[in-house]
Amino acid sequence: MPNTKRRRLVATAVAVTLGATALAACGSSDDDSDAESGPVSLTYWTWTPGMDKVVDLWNKGQGKKNQISVTVKKQASGDTLVTKILTAHKAKQAPDLVQAEYQALPTLVSNDALADISKNVGDAKSEFADGVWQQTTLGTDAVYAVPQDIGPMMFYYREDLFKKYKLTVPTTWDQFAETARKLKKVSPDTDLTTFSANDSGLFAGLAQQAGAKWWTTSGDKWKVGINDAATQKVAKFWGGLVKEGVIDNQPMYTPAWNKALDTGKQIAWVSAVWAPGTLTTAAPDTKGKWAMAPLPQWSASENVTGSWGGSSTAVTTDSKHEAAAAEFAAWLNTDKEALNALAKESGIYPAATSAQLSGAFLTPPDYFSNQADFYTQAAKIAETTAASAWGPNVNVAYTSFKDAFATAAKDKSDFVAALNTMQDDTVADLKKQGFGVAQ
C-alpha cells in the first residue's frame, strides 16, 4: 500500500481511538457537480432485500421533484462487496453509493474510496445515538456514511423453561455462569446455550462490551490489541464454561442447533436485535415462548452492550454527483416514510432513534407477541452500545477466529491460546501489507 494511504489510515485510527478532531477527506471535491442543469442518475450497490421498493419511494417523490433518480444494483455482502468496491474504485468506476458494514469503513476510507459528505447531510447527526454516529465519522469532523441499521446485543431465553427449572434471568456474567451450572444439575441433558465459532461478529461484540479495543495506534504505527485484557477476560469466561461442560460447544445455524432451540435442549441465546427473524426459522415450534432481556454485565454497576452487525450508506469518491448522492443517503436513513419502508420491506432495525419506537416498531415482532415492550426495551439497550475500534484487516482477524476458536471449542482447549493465534495472524497480515506495527 502506498505510504500516503498508510499515513491516512493511521490518522483515521488515531481519530477513532484517541478522539482526534481533524482528518482531511482525500478524494472529496469542493466542485459541486450537482450544480449543472438537467437530471441526475445515481447507482446504489446494496445487499438489503427489498431495497428497490424503498428506492421507488424516492424516485416517485423527492427524487422526482429534485430530478435525482437512483437505480439499485443488488450485490453480495461482507468481504465480497468490499473487494468489488475497491476493484471498481481502482478503475475509477465505483458506483455513486454503496452499503458498507461499519467495520469495513476504515478499509474503504484508507483506500480513498469514500467521500467526506459532512457538508451535504444537513443535521442528520441529530437522528442517531452518539456511539452510532461515531462509527461513520471515525471520530473525526468528516462524515463518511450515514448509519442505516444497527445490531445491539441482547439476551434471549425460553421464559417457560426458565420458570420450569426455577432459573433467574442473569444480569451479570457471573450469574450467567451460575445459571448454566444450576441448569446442568437439574436437567443434565439441557444446555443454557452454546459457544459458537462460526460467527466472528458475536465474539467481537462480546469483547466490545467488555471494553476491548482491537485496533489502536502508537505514533505512526498500528497496535493490535486483540488479546488485550478485556478480550482475554471474555475468552477465559467462555472457554471455562465449555471446558466445564455446562454449555454446549457446537456452532450456530446448523440443523442440530436449530433442533436444540426448537426442542428446548438449549434454552438461551446471546444474540442481537435481529434474533426474532432467526428464531422464527430455527425454532418455529417455540413461538411465543421466548423473552428478551439486556445482555449480562461484567459488574452490577455497568450498563453497556456490544454490537453484532449493522451497516451504513456511503458516497464514493468516484461519484460525479456527491451532493445529490449524500442527499439520498440522508433521506434513506432519516426520512419517516423511508424508514418505515426499510422496516417493512427489508426487516432492518433502524439506526435512527426516532424510528426505533414508531411504525413497524410500535408492536413487538410476531414471534415475541408475548413481550409487548420488546422494542421499547430494545431502544433503551441500543442507547448503551459501546464505542467500536475497527482496523484495516478485520477480515483477517475474523477468519483467524473461526479457525482457531473452532478447534479450541471442539477440543475444549485453551481459548486464550486461540486468542493469541488470532492476534499473531492479524499482526502478521498488517506487516505483510506494509504497515508499521507497534509491539
Side-chain angles (χ1 to χ4, degrees), residues 58-254:
W58 164 269
N59 288 334
K60 295 175 181 177
Q62 189 169 335
K64 183 177 181 180
K65 177 182 177 181
N66 296 347
Q67 291 190 301
I68 303 171
S69 64
V70 179
T71 299
V72 170
K73 297 292 185 181
K74 292 296 291 293
Q75 306 291 329
S77 59
D79 294 340
T80 300
L81 180 55
V82 172
T83 300
K84 187 171 182 179
I85 293 170
L86 293 178
T87 300
H89 173 62
K90 288 179 181 178
K92 303 299 181 184
Q93 294 180 350
D96 300 277
L97 296 131
V98 294
Q99 183 177 359
E101 292 177 298
Y102 297 116
Q103 67 266 26
L105 291 176
T107 298
L108 294 172
V109 169
S110 72
N111 283 276
D112 299 334
L114 301 186
D116 172 10
I117 55 175
S118 56
K119 296 180 180 179
N120 298 309
V121 292
D123 60 353
K125 177 181 178 181
S126 63
E127 298 289 333
F128 307 95
D130 289 343
V132 173
W133 185 253
Q134 172 267 337
Q135 293 198 85
T136 57
T137 67
L138 307 185
T140 75
D141 291 334
V143 177
Y144 295 107
V146 180
Q148 180 167 298
D149 60 302
I150 54 175
M153 295 177 68
M154 304 160 183
F155 178 69
Y156 293 86
Y157 64 99
R158 280 285 298 274
E159 194 171 27
D160 57 332
L161 296 183
F162 262 59
K163 291 180 180 179
K164 175 182 177 180
Y165 297 126
K166 298 181 180 180
L167 304 175
T168 300
V169 178
T171 58
T172 67
W173 288 113
D174 283 343
Q175 292 176 6
F176 180 94
E178 288 304 315
T179 301
R181 295 182 184 110
K182 181 178 179 180
L183 176 61
K184 269 299 174 186
K185 289 180 180 178
V186 298
S187 182
D189 293 332
T190 305
D191 294 300
L192 180 63
T193 191
T194 188
F195 177 85
S196 174
N198 67 346
D199 196 319
S200 314
L202 171 57
F203 185 76
L206 291 171
Q208 179 187 356
Q209 185 211 22
K213 300 293 183 184
W214 283 3
W215 285 269
T216 56
T217 59
S218 178
D220 63 350
K221 297 181 179 180
W222 281 101
K223 186 172 184 180
V224 180
I226 289 176
N227 63 350
D228 64 8
T231 312
Q232 285 195 36
K233 177 171 64 175
V234 175
K236 289 176 181 177
F237 177 81
W238 288 94
L241 293 180
V242 168
K243 187 173 183 179
E244 193 177 339
V246 293
I247 64 171
D248 198 3
N249 61 346
Q250 301 302 308
M252 302 177 294
Y253 315 131
T254 65

